């Protein structure tokens, strides 16, 4: 039982159960694509949560990292004819360079100043995508082949979803290990107070750059998996709307929470599909973006800790009441 209490084992078992479930259920190909998108944005949100939730650094230009990962992976596999796993690794490593650049700019910036600077950074990178035709194809867009791993072609169905889940589980375990390490404690100290962290001897410069690098790496990985799912992209995809959606995923799901990142990403990803099923709402332009903004406002106002913590409190009350009921039953039986 102690083994099952380990969060890392829980991540693995949850991933296995999810994959088995979606393979048993008779799902449409569009449903598999939607679920895979949830997993992809969960990876991106998880990386963004490392930055915002664990270190308190806000970024409104994170879509640039996801876009760069997508383009790098497409270039490596389509133009250089290298294996998909090489493209996946390159898509994670190359954005780290941009992450370090943004991290260096963030050393003297905090709060809304950092948000504005990162927004400008994201806009600049998006415009670069439009003119860097050798890598991105410019306005024409960029295509990518299907993912092939060890000679097996992964189609956009249960196979690709299973692969995306495996990557997500590995990255969840990595974040969990960071959170429970010296680096994680340094992140939290920085988030609570930069000056107090410096007074305790924490190298703020070092850990800010680490946080931006990890976040950029996760975003690049998400971009690569996305690219080989849809097999086409163009610069307009990687704009401010996606960055705001990432912010919404983390805020709605829960700051500094692995489960919150997944819940928030699933909520934001599924919302447009849900809205399409509601009469009257589907005819409103940008209705999904409007509801995302409203959701962020409502969560900040009423449940600033995020949905995951509300679920945790409800779960705690249920088990607590259940425990009291068991104690009462045992005492009654002993009296009888």
């Amino acid at each position: 039982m102690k083994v099952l209490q380990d969060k890392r084992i829980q991540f693995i078992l949850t991933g296995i159960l999810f994959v088995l479930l979606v393979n048993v259920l008779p799902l449409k190909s569009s449903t598999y694509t939607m679920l895979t998108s949830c997993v992809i944005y969960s990876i991106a949100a998880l990386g963004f949560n490392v930055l915002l939730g664990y270190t308190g650094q806000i970024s409104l230009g994170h879509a640039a990292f996801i876009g760069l990962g997508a383009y790098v992976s497409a270039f490596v596999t389509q133009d250089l004819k290298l294996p998909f796993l090489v493209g996946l690794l390159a898509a994670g490593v190359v954005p780290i360079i941009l992450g370090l650049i943004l991290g260096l700019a963030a050393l003297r910036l905090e709060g809304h100043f950092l948000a504005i600077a990162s927004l400008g950074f994201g806009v600049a990178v998006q415009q670069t995508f439009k003119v860097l035709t050798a890598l991105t194809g410019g306005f024409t867009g960029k295509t990518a082949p299907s993912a092939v791993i060890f000679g097996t072609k992964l189609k956009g169905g249960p196979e690709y979803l299973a692969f995306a889940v495996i990557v997500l589980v590995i990255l969840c375990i990595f974040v969990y290990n960071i959170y429970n390490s010296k680096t994680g404690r340094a992140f939290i100290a920085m988030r609570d107070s930069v000056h107090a962290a410096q007074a305790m001897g924490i190298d703020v410069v070092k850990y800010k750059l680490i946080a931006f690098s990890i976040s950029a790496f996760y975003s690049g990985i998400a971009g690569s998996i996305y690219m080989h799912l849809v097999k086409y992209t163009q610069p307009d995809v990687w704009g401010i709307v996606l960055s705001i959606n990432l912010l919404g995923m983390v805020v709605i799901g829960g700051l500094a929470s692995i489960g919150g990142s997944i819940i928030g990403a699933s909520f934001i990803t599924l919302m447009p599909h849900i809205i399409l099923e509601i009469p009257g709402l589907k005819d409103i332009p940008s209705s999904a973006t409007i509801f995302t903004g409203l959701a962020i406002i409502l969560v900040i106002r009423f449940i600033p800790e995020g949905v995951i913590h509300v679920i945790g409190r409800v779960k705690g009350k249920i088990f607590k009441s259940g425990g009291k009921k068991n104690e009462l039953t045992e005492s009654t039986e002993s009296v009888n």
Side-chain angles (χ1 to χ4, degrees):
M1 294 299 295
K2 289 184 178 180
V3 175
L4 295 178
Q5 293 177 355
D6 191 327
K7 285 288 185 180
R8 290 162 292 193
I9 300 299
Q10 293 176 12
F11 294 147
I12 295 172
L13 292 177
T14 302
I16 292 174
L17 290 175
F18 179 78
V19 171
L20 291 176
L21 180 63
V22 297
N23 276 275
V24 171
L25 296 176
L27 302 178
K28 299 179 181 179
S29 58
S30 59
T31 304
Y32 281 114
T33 301
M34 183 174 60
L35 291 175
T36 307
S37 297
C38 290
V39 176
I40 291 170
Y41 287 115
S42 295
I43 294 172
L46 190 60
F48 189 74
N49 215 340
V50 170
L51 190 65
L52 179 61
Y54 292 122
T55 64
Q57 306 296 305
I58 188 170
S59 171
L60 294 180
H62 240 60
F65 298 123
I66 306 177
L68 182 60
Y71 283 123
V72 168
S73 186
F75 179 79
V76 169
T77 55
Q78 180 80 0
D79 299 348
L80 300 183
K81 307 298 181 184
L82 294 176
F84 165 70
L85 292 180
V86 176
L88 179 67
L89 180 61
V93 172
V94 173
I96 292 178
I97 300 173
L98 281 185
L100 291 173
I101 294 173
L102 184 58
L104 290 172
L107 294 179
R108 297 184 178 274
L109 298 174
E110 294 182 7
H112 56 279
F113 294 106
L114 176 57
I116 295 172
S118 62
L119 175 61
F121 170 84
V123 172
V125 173
Q126 184 186 20
Q127 295 303 314
T128 303
F129 288 159
K130 295 179 181 180
V131 298
L132 195 61
T133 56
L135 175 66
T136 67
F139 291 98
T140 304
K142 188 76 174 178
T143 59
S146 298
V148 178
I149 299 179
F150 304 122
T152 303
K153 184 177 181 180
L154 301 181
K155 299 179 180 179
E159 301 93 349
Y160 201 72
L161 175 60
F163 168 74
V165 170
I166 291 171
V167 175
L168 174 61
V169 169
I170 293 172
L171 296 179
C172 284
I173 294 173
F174 183 66
V175 168
Y176 178 80
N177 289 337
I178 291 177
Y179 180 69
N180 291 278
S181 67
K182 176 183 176 182
T183 301
R185 292 189 291 272
F187 283 169
I188 295 172
M190 287 168 46
R191 180 193 63 192
D192 294 341
S193 174
V194 174
H195 300 294
Q198 289 175 326
M200 291 188 294
I202 294 175
D203 190 342
V204 174
V205 174
K206 170 186 173 182
Y207 287 107
K208 274 190 177 183
L209 294 179
I210 290 176
F212 273 97
S213 299
I214 293 174
S215 186
F217 177 81
Y218 274 53
S219 298
I221 294 294
S224 174
I225 300 175
Y226 169 87
M227 187 65 186
H228 293 276
L229 173 68
V230 300
K231 301 180 181 62
Y232 173 81
T233 191
Q234 48 88 19
D236 290 337
V237 175
W238 315 110
I240 181 62
V241 173
L242 178 55
S243 295
I244 293 176
N245 281 341
L246 280 176
L247 177 63
M249 293 172 191
V250 173
V251 172
I252 293 171
L255 295 171
S257 169
I258 294 175
S261 301
I262 298 173
I263 290 174
S266 300
F267 175 80
I268 297 296
T269 304
L270 297 177
M271 182 185 293
H273 301 279
I274 296 173
I275 289 176
L276 289 176
E277 301 298 327
I278 301 176
L281 292 181
K282 61 182 180 180
D283 298 325
I284 301 176
S286 303
S287 55
T289 304
I290 294 172
F291 277 91
T292 298
L294 289 175
I296 294 174
I297 294 172
L298 292 174
V299 167
I300 292 175
R301 175 63 181 85
F302 297 105
I303 45 174
E305 68 273 21
V307 175
I308 187 68
H309 296 288
V310 175
I311 295 174
R313 286 204 301 265
V314 173
K315 180 180 177 182
K317 289 182 179 179
I318 293 174
F319 280 99
K320 186 177 180 180
S321 61
K324 290 182 178 179
K325 183 177 180 181
N326 291 335
E327 291 175 3
L328 180 60
T329 303
E330 290 175 1
S331 61
T332 304
E333 290 176 352
S334 62
V335 172
N336 293 335

